[in-house]
Amino acid sequence: MTRIMLQRSAELPDALRVARSLSAPHLGPRLLFFSGGSALNKISRALKSYTYNSAHLITPFDSGGSSQVLREAFDMPAVGDLRSRLMALADESDLGQPDIYALFSHRLPKDGEPTALRTEVEELVAGKHPLIRAVSTPMGQLICDFLREFLVAAPMDFDFRGASIGNLILAGGYLAHGRLLEPVLFLMSKMVDVRGTVRGVVDCNLQLGVELTDGRRIHGQRQISGKEAPPIDTPIARLFLSEHGKEIDPGSVPLPKRNRKLIRRADLICYPPGSLFSSVVANLLPAGVGRTIARCEVPKVYLPSLGTDPEALGLTLADRVAAILAPLRADAGMEVPATRLMTHVLCDSSEDPAACAEVTERHGIPCHRLPLVSDEPERYDRRLACAALVSLV
């Protein structure tokens, strides 16, 4: 057991706080995460046992897979990571909506014949597909309406290979609601009884770009992450937002008022595991994020990724902390102490003590080594991670 100082003394794990959360998750703490991708999904699934009140601000700048096909077809933000987190937080029990969950999670085969794939979507729209027939009205009709909106607007050569049906439904809902994400995310959350709040950090169709330490620039999330392109072989110096291949001022991309309110209501703010730049730092770029966080009197915790992160090439733990602080300070003001933006770093006990010491020496932020890994050496134990976060509130 480790004792750390917040505005109070806390023990990690705190057996009383953990037990309280597990016994009444509907009254659980408001934990807020800035994330994207799938790295936090397993922890999010476990988190449902501790709290129904977590909030997840997700980057809409993904440019790979099914999301990219939709972005190119409809000039819209990426929805894949949003759908993925909604599914991770959905009530998967028999008391939830398992039929809708199955539909939203269905993915068309990657090697399917184009005509056959389009026909399958047409069967869904017509209400003839087994997955849609299993969904009761009026939700089934609403889903069909969203899919119809998508299919009518989709180009005839739309590539359905590997498409997530949930992504297509989100795209249709986006088009049906005046090209706004928030209404359809709200509706989908209600459909599958999401145990928390999932929102895009902004509702903008923008791309990510990075500047490398050798001066080169790379545009596009899939080029940065190394998942659909060769990994970057030079350290990343900074991340920026881009439009039509040109960097834009983050001041022109304000954090929506509804998300500022969500941050202010949080009991704890977490910079969680995930690709350092495209999943975590990307959410911190919009104007107002740093200022809003700096005003919050709550724990602000960095839980760094384990294993190899291609985006963190050549970066020490202290360097990764600096990468998170950079856009926050650019917004909140360079004079703002680092501890107003990040109060603690939580690492597994396998982390090098010297790396933790460097974090404190460079940034003045306490860095704590805790047993957070059990069976998989490069994955946090979901229960241990959730218990640690809940204990800090």
Side-chain angles (χ1 to χ4, degrees), residues 102-381:
L103 174 63
F104 286 167
S105 301
H106 181 62
R107 192 175 288 274
L108 300 176
K110 292 183 178 181
D111 57 354
E113 194 273 325
T115 302
L117 296 177
R118 189 177 187 94
T119 297
E120 182 171 353
V121 176
E122 290 172 347
E123 289 177 351
L124 285 164
V125 171
K128 298 178 180 179
H129 195 287
L131 284 172
I132 197 68
R133 286 207 308 266
V135 179
S136 60
T137 54
M139 287 187 286
Q141 186 57 56
L142 181 61
I143 292 169
C144 286
D145 289 345
F146 285 171
L147 278 172
R148 184 177 296 108
E149 191 83 21
F150 155 77
L151 197 58
V152 168
M156 288 304 299
D157 61 349
F158 185 87
D159 186 359
F160 286 97
R161 291 174 299 175
S164 160
I165 297 301
N167 287 1
L168 304 187
I169 294 168
L170 274 171
Y174 172 80
L175 297 172
H177 287 90
R179 302 182 69 83
L180 294 173
L181 279 177
E182 185 63 17
V184 66
L185 290 173
F186 176 80
L187 286 171
M188 186 178 274
S189 295
K190 296 303 180 183
M191 286 179 184
V192 291
D193 195 10
V194 169
R195 308 295 202 181
T197 301
V198 179
R199 292 178 182 164
V201 66
V202 292
D203 194 347
C204 300
N205 181 29
L206 299 172
Q207 300 287 346
L208 296 175
V210 292
E211 183 175 310
L212 307 182
T213 53
D214 62 7
R216 286 183 295 148
R217 289 189 166 201
I218 297 175
H219 292 264
Q221 176 269 341
R222 60 179 169 177
Q223 304 296 324
I224 298 167
S225 67
K227 295 175 182 176
E228 297 185 29
I232 297 173
D233 58 2
T234 304
I236 294 173
R238 68 182 185 96
L239 183 76
F240 56 85
L241 295 173
S242 73
E243 187 173 29
H244 308 306
K246 295 182 179 179
E247 180 176 355
I248 63 172
D249 181 358
S252 66
V253 187
L255 181 71
K257 182 178 180 180
R258 62 181 180 272
N259 289 344
R260 294 201 303 271
K261 183 177 180 181
L262 200 63
I263 296 170
R264 289 197 299 266
R265 293 181 64 242
D267 297 315
L268 177 144
I269 294 168
C270 182
Y271 311 106
S275 298
L276 177 61
F277 289 96
S278 63
S279 289
V280 181
V281 176
N283 286 294
L284 311 178
L285 295 175
V289 175
R291 279 168 283 163
T292 305
I293 291 174
R295 295 186 184 117
C296 294
E297 299 288 346
V298 298
K300 303 157 191 179
V301 182
Y302 177 34
L303 189 64
S305 291
L306 299 171
T308 302
D309 177 2
E311 296 182 9
L313 173 71
L315 301 183
T316 65
L317 181 58
D319 292 334
R320 283 180 275 163
V321 169
I324 291 172
L325 293 176
L328 297 176
R329 273 184 157 158
D331 183 69
M334 297 305 295
E335 73 285 354
V336 172
T339 50
R340 295 296 306 167
L341 304 168
M342 184 185 296
T343 60
H344 297 84
V345 178
L346 299 186
C347 297
D348 181 60
S349 51
S350 62
E351 182 62 70
D352 183 355
C356 279
E358 185 189 8
V359 170
T360 305
E361 290 168 6
R362 281 179 55 181
H363 305 292
I365 299 171
C367 184
H368 308 280
R369 298 166 62 244
L370 308 166
L372 296 173
V373 172
S374 56
D375 298 330
E376 298 181 73
E378 294 190 356
R379 293 286 186 274
Y380 286 109
D381 181 290

